[in-house]
Amino acid sequence: MKELAGKIKLTEKEISDYIDEANETLDRAYVPYSKFPVAALLIDQNGKKFKGVNVENASYGVGICAERNVIPTAVTEGMKKIKLLVVTGGTPEPISPCGACRQFISEFSDKDTVIILTNRDKKYKIWSIDELLPYSFGPEDL
């Protein structure tokens, strides 16, 4: 059992199962231009699961990352805080969210949020939001 951010504890099997679930979603990404699929699995404060993928567009700038796809979906369903977020992609090492996604994740995270960055091969790293986005800008800065 790994004790992660805050009070959350996960077994290696639970981590593996969450990674599998995120990886199964990779094939749903719409990536005809970059061929770079990314998927996210989000579990909210109530244990409800949400999935998202990146969706590209011929007008490249209007595409959306998996993280910025799944979070608004979860918010629409009542999510207030991210309990667990798994982000996966077709990378040789665990995927790294872009800066915009890190900021977006930060808005709905706290010290107890667990972020697992992984890949198809199930290599993974576990992060807190402070590790993923140190010295972040948030509501407390307004």
Side-chain angles (χ1 to χ4, degrees):
M1 177 99 37
K2 286 189 177 192
E3 184 160 337
L4 308 171
K7 300 174 179 86
I8 296 175
K9 294 181 183 178
L10 294 173
T11 65
E12 282 295 330
K13 174 146 180 27
E14 289 171 317
I15 292 169
S16 180
D17 288 348
Y18 288 140
I19 291 171
D20 284 342
E21 197 168 348
N23 276 330
E24 289 167 7
T25 309
L26 270 173
D27 293 334
R28 297 183 197 154
Y30 180 74
V31 291
Y33 310 107
S34 72
K35 310 289 191 246
F36 189 81
V38 179
L41 169 70
L42 183 152
I43 301 174
D44 74 6
Q45 73 280 355
N46 297 317
K48 190 169 180 182
K49 290 182 185 178
F50 302 90
K51 296 176 185 176
V53 294
N54 57 326
V55 178
E56 296 178 344
N57 189 284
S59 176
Y60 297 142
V62 299
I64 189 167
C65 298
E67 303 91 324
R68 287 183 288 136
N69 184 339
V70 73
I71 292 170
T73 300
V75 168
T76 300
E77 296 294 322
M79 189 263 304
K80 302 291 183 208
K81 287 291 176 193
I82 299 169
K83 178 179 177 181
L84 174 74
L85 179 67
V86 180
V87 183
T88 187
T91 52
E93 294 299 318
I95 198 161
S96 177
C98 72
C101 285
R102 290 172 191 237
Q103 181 63 41
F104 211 80
I105 294 164
S106 174
E107 183 74 16
F108 299 95
S109 296
D110 61 24
K111 65 178 180 54
D112 294 328
T113 301
V114 174
I115 302 161
I116 300 174
L117 304 179
T118 187
N119 64 5
R120 286 187 190 268
D121 298 327
K122 297 178 75 170
K123 292 181 186 176
Y124 71 89
K125 292 182 180 180
I126 298 174
W127 299 80
S128 70
I129 191 58
D130 287 338
E131 293 168 321
L132 191 64
L133 186 64
Y135 196 62
S136 64
F137 180 84
E140 66 279 358
D141 296 309
L142 297 176

